[in-house]
Coordinates of all heavy atoms in Angstrom, one line a residue:
D774 N -209.2 -62.1 -146.1 CA -209.7 -61.1 -147.1 C -210.4 -62.0 -148.3 O -209.8 -61.7 -149.5 CB -208.7 -60.2 -147.7 CG -209.2 -59.1 -148.5 OD1 -210.2 -58.8 -148.5 OD2 -208.3 -58.6 -149.3
Y775 N -211.3 -62.7 -148.0 CA -212.0 -63.6 -149.2 C -213.0 -62.7 -150.0 O -213.5 -61.8 -149.3 CB -212.5 -64.9 -148.6 CG -213.6 -64.6 -147.5 CD1 -214.9 -64.7 -147.7 CD2 -213.1 -64.4 -146.2 CE1 -215.9 -64.5 -146.7 CE2 -214.1 -64.2 -145.2 CZ -215.5 -64.1 -145.5 OH -216.4 -64.0 -144.5
D776 N -213.3 -63.2 -151.1 CA -214.2 -62.3 -151.9 C -215.2 -63.2 -152.7 O -214.8 -63.4 -154.0 CB -213.3 -61.4 -152.8 CG -214.1 -60.4 -153.6 OD1 -215.2 -60.1 -153.1 OD2 -213.6 -59.9 -154.7
P777 N -216.1 -63.7 -152.1 CA -217.0 -64.7 -152.9 C -217.7 -63.9 -154.1 O -218.0 -62.7 -153.7 CB -218.0 -65.3 -151.8 CG -217.9 -64.3 -150.8 CD -216.4 -63.8 -150.9
E778 N -218.0 -64.5 -155.1 CA -218.5 -63.8 -156.3 C -219.9 -64.0 -156.6 O -220.5 -63.2 -157.4 CB -217.7 -64.3 -157.5 CG -216.2 -64.0 -157.4 CD -215.4 -64.6 -158.7 OE1 -216.2 -65.4 -159.5 OE2 -214.4 -64.4 -158.9
R779 N -220.6 -64.8 -155.8 CA -222.0 -64.9 -156.1 C -222.9 -65.3 -154.9 O -222.3 -65.8 -153.9 CB -222.1 -66.1 -157.1 CG -221.7 -67.4 -156.6 CD -221.8 -68.5 -157.7 NE -221.4 -69.9 -157.2 CZ -220.0 -70.3 -157.1 NH1 -219.1 -69.4 -157.3 NH2 -220.0 -71.5 -156.7
G780 N -224.2 -65.2 -155.1 CA -225.1 -65.6 -154.1 C -225.0 -65.1 -152.7 O -224.6 -64.1 -152.4
K781 N -225.5 -66.0 -151.8 CA -225.6 -65.7 -150.5 C -224.2 -65.5 -149.7 O -224.1 -64.8 -148.8 CB -226.4 -66.8 -149.6 CG -227.9 -66.7 -149.9 CD -228.7 -65.4 -149.6 CE -230.0 -65.5 -149.9 NZ -230.7 -64.1 -149.4
A782 N -223.2 -66.2 -150.2 CA -221.9 -66.0 -149.7 C -221.4 -64.6 -149.9 O -220.8 -64.0 -149.1 CB -221.0 -67.0 -150.4
K783 N -221.7 -64.0 -151.1 CA -221.2 -62.7 -151.4 C -222.0 -61.8 -150.6 O -221.5 -60.8 -150.1 CB -221.5 -62.6 -152.9 CG -221.1 -61.0 -153.4 CD -221.4 -60.9 -154.9 CE -221.2 -59.4 -155.3 NZ -219.8 -58.9 -155.1
E784 N -223.3 -62.0 -150.5 CA -224.2 -61.1 -149.6 C -223.8 -61.1 -148.1 O -223.6 -60.1 -147.5 CB -225.5 -61.6 -149.7 CG -226.6 -60.7 -148.9 CD -227.9 -61.2 -149.2 OE1 -228.4 -61.9 -150.2 OE2 -228.8 -60.6 -148.5
A785 N -223.3 -62.2 -147.6 CA -222.9 -62.4 -146.3 C -221.7 -61.7 -146.1 O -221.3 -61.0 -145.1 CB -222.8 -63.9 -145.9
R786 N -220.7 -61.9 -147.0 CA -219.4 -61.3 -146.9 C -219.6 -59.7 -146.9 O -218.7 -59.0 -146.2 CB -218.5 -61.6 -148.1 CG -217.1 -60.9 -148.0 CD -216.3 -61.3 -146.8 NE -215.1 -60.5 -146.8 CZ -215.0 -59.3 -146.2 NH1 -215.9 -58.8 -145.6 NH2 -213.8 -58.7 -146.0
E787 N -220.4 -59.1 -147.8 CA -220.5 -57.7 -147.8 C -221.3 -57.3 -146.3 O -221.0 -56.2 -145.8 CB -221.6 -57.4 -148.8 CG -220.9 -57.6 -150.2 CD -221.8 -57.3 -151.4 OE1 -223.1 -57.3 -151.1 OE2 -221.5 -57.4 -152.5
D788 N -222.0 -58.0 -145.8 CA -222.8 -57.7 -144.7 C -221.9 -57.8 -143.2 O -222.1 -56.9 -142.4 CB -223.9 -58.6 -144.3 CG -224.8 -58.0 -143.2 OD1 -225.4 -57.0 -143.4 OD2 -224.9 -58.9 -142.3
V789 N -220.8 -58.5 -143.3 CA -220.0 -58.6 -142.1 C -219.4 -57.3 -141.8 O -219.0 -56.9 -140.6 CB -218.9 -59.7 -142.2 CG1 -219.5 -61.1 -142.3 CG2 -218.0 -59.5 -143.2
N790 N -219.2 -56.4 -142.8 CA -218.5 -55.1 -142.5 C -219.5 -54.2 -141.7 O -219.1 -53.2 -141.2 CB -218.3 -54.4 -143.9 CG -217.2 -55.1 -144.7 OD1 -216.2 -55.7 -144.1 ND2 -217.3 -55.1 -145.9
N791 N -220.7 -54.5 -141.6 CA -221.8 -53.7 -140.9 C -221.6 -54.0 -139.4 O -222.2 -53.1 -138.6 CB -223.2 -54.0 -141.4 CG -223.4 -53.6 -142.8 OD1 -222.9 -52.4 -143.2 ND2 -224.1 -54.3 -143.5
F792 N -221.0 -55.0 -139.0 CA -221.0 -55.3 -137.5 C -219.7 -55.9 -136.9 O -219.7 -56.0 -135.7 CB -222.2 -56.2 -137.1 CG -222.3 -57.5 -137.6 CD1 -222.2 -58.5 -136.7 CD2 -222.4 -57.8 -138.9 CE1 -222.1 -60.0 -137.1 CE2 -222.3 -59.1 -139.5 CZ -222.2 -60.2 -138.5
L793 N -218.8 -56.4 -137.7 CA -217.7 -57.1 -137.3 C -216.4 -56.3 -137.5 O -216.1 -55.6 -138.5 CB -217.5 -58.4 -138.0 CG -218.6 -59.4 -137.7 CD1 -218.0 -60.7 -138.6 CD2 -218.5 -59.8 -136.2
A794 N -215.4 -56.5 -136.5 CA -214.0 -55.9 -136.7 C -213.3 -57.1 -137.2 O -212.8 -57.9 -136.5 CB -213.4 -55.5 -135.3
I795 N -213.2 -57.1 -138.6 CA -212.8 -58.3 -139.4 C -211.4 -58.7 -138.9 O -211.0 -59.8 -138.8 CB -212.8 -58.0 -140.9 CG1 -214.3 -58.0 -141.2 CG2 -212.2 -59.2 -141.6 CD1 -215.1 -59.2 -141.2

Side-chain angles (χ1 to χ4, degrees):
D774 190 24
Y775 57 96
D776 188 23
E778 298 178 351
R779 64 185 184 280
K781 291 296 182 179
K783 179 178 177 62
E784 187 178 346
R786 176 62 186 89
E787 293 171 349
D788 186 59
V789 297
N790 293 325
N791 293 321
F792 69 111
L793 291 184
I795 295 296

